[in-house]
Amino acid sequence: VSEVALPGDDDPDTAHFCALDSSDRVVGTGSVRPEAPPWEPASGPAWRLRGMATEPDVRGSGIGTAVLTAVIDHVAGLGGGLLWCHARTPAVEFYRRAGLVTRGEAWLDPAIGPHIVMWREVEARPAAR
Ligand SMILES: CC(C)(COP(=O)(O)OP(=O)(O)OC[C@H]1O[C@@H](n2cnc3c(N)ncnc32)[C@H](O)[C@@H]1OP(=O)(O)O)[C@@H](O)C(=O)NCCC(=O)NCCS
C-alpha cells in the first residue's frame, strides 16, 4: 500500500472508488480530490483524478470506464467543475472516450514514462426534485 499511496489520500475531501469482481478482488481503482490544475486560471472548482488503474487481466472489458464514470458522477454531484489528470500517454485514448482533451506537450516521468495533462468540464448534476 505504501508504494501506491498518494499525498492527500486520507484527506476527507478525497474520494476513492474501486471496482470489485465477484470474489471481492479489487480490479479497478480511481481517486479524485479538489486540486487546482497546473495552469491559470481555472475559475470555479477544480478536481484532480489520480490512481486510475485496472488489473491487467480485466483491461478492455469496461471496468476502467465504470470507475471513471463513478469519478465523474461524484464531481457532478458536488457541483461539477474542471476535472484534470496527468495521463500516461498510452491511456490518452481511454480518457478521450470519456470526454477529456489533452493540454500542452507530453513530458517524461523517469519512473513511469511519458505523461500529458488531460482535462474536461463536468457539469453539475441537477438537484433531484
Ligand atoms: C488505462 C486503464 C485504466 C483503462 O482501463 P480499462 O479497464 O482497460 O478500461 P475500459 O475497459 O473501460 O476501456 C475502455 C476502452 O478504452 C480502450 N482502452 C483501454 N485502455 C487503452 C489504452 N491504454 N489505449 C487505448 N485504448 C484503451 C479499451 O479497449 C476500451 O475500448 P472499447 O470501448 O472499444 O472496448 C488501464 O488500461 C490501466 O490500468 N492501464 C495501466 C495504468 C494506467 O495507464 N493508468 C492510467 C494512468 S493515467
Side-chain angles (χ1 to χ4, degrees):
V1 168
S2 62
E3 276 177 37
V4 294
L6 296 168
D9 269 356
D10 295 331
D11 289 356
D13 287 344
T14 303
H16 302 282
F17 295 87
C18 71
L20 305 176
D21 71 7
S22 57
S23 309
D24 279 350
R25 176 177 68 126
V26 174
V27 291
T29 63
S31 299
V32 66
R33 69 171 185 147
E35 186 176 326
W39 70 88
E40 294 286 334
S43 57
W47 301 81
R48 181 173 183 180
L49 167 67
R50 303 192 77 174
M52 253 317 303
T54 56
E55 282 287 353
D57 63 312
V58 303
R59 285 178 194 163
S61 61
I63 289 170
T65 300
V67 173
L68 184 52
T69 300
V71 165
I72 292 169
D73 195 52
H74 173 78
V75 170
L78 291 177
L82 186 156
L83 176 67
W84 67 277
C85 67
H86 287 168
R88 294 187 200 196
T89 54
V92 162
E93 218 27 64
F94 166 76
Y95 289 118
R96 227 176 234 146
R97 287 166 195 242
L100 284 84
V101 294
T102 59
R103 181 188 165 96
E105 300 296 319
W107 75 94
L108 183 64
D109 179 320
I112 41 180
H115 280 72
I116 192 163
V117 168
M118 295 191 77
W119 71 280
R120 65 166 277 183
E121 286 291 340
V122 176
E123 281 189 25
R125 192 190 313 130
R129 289 204 273 169

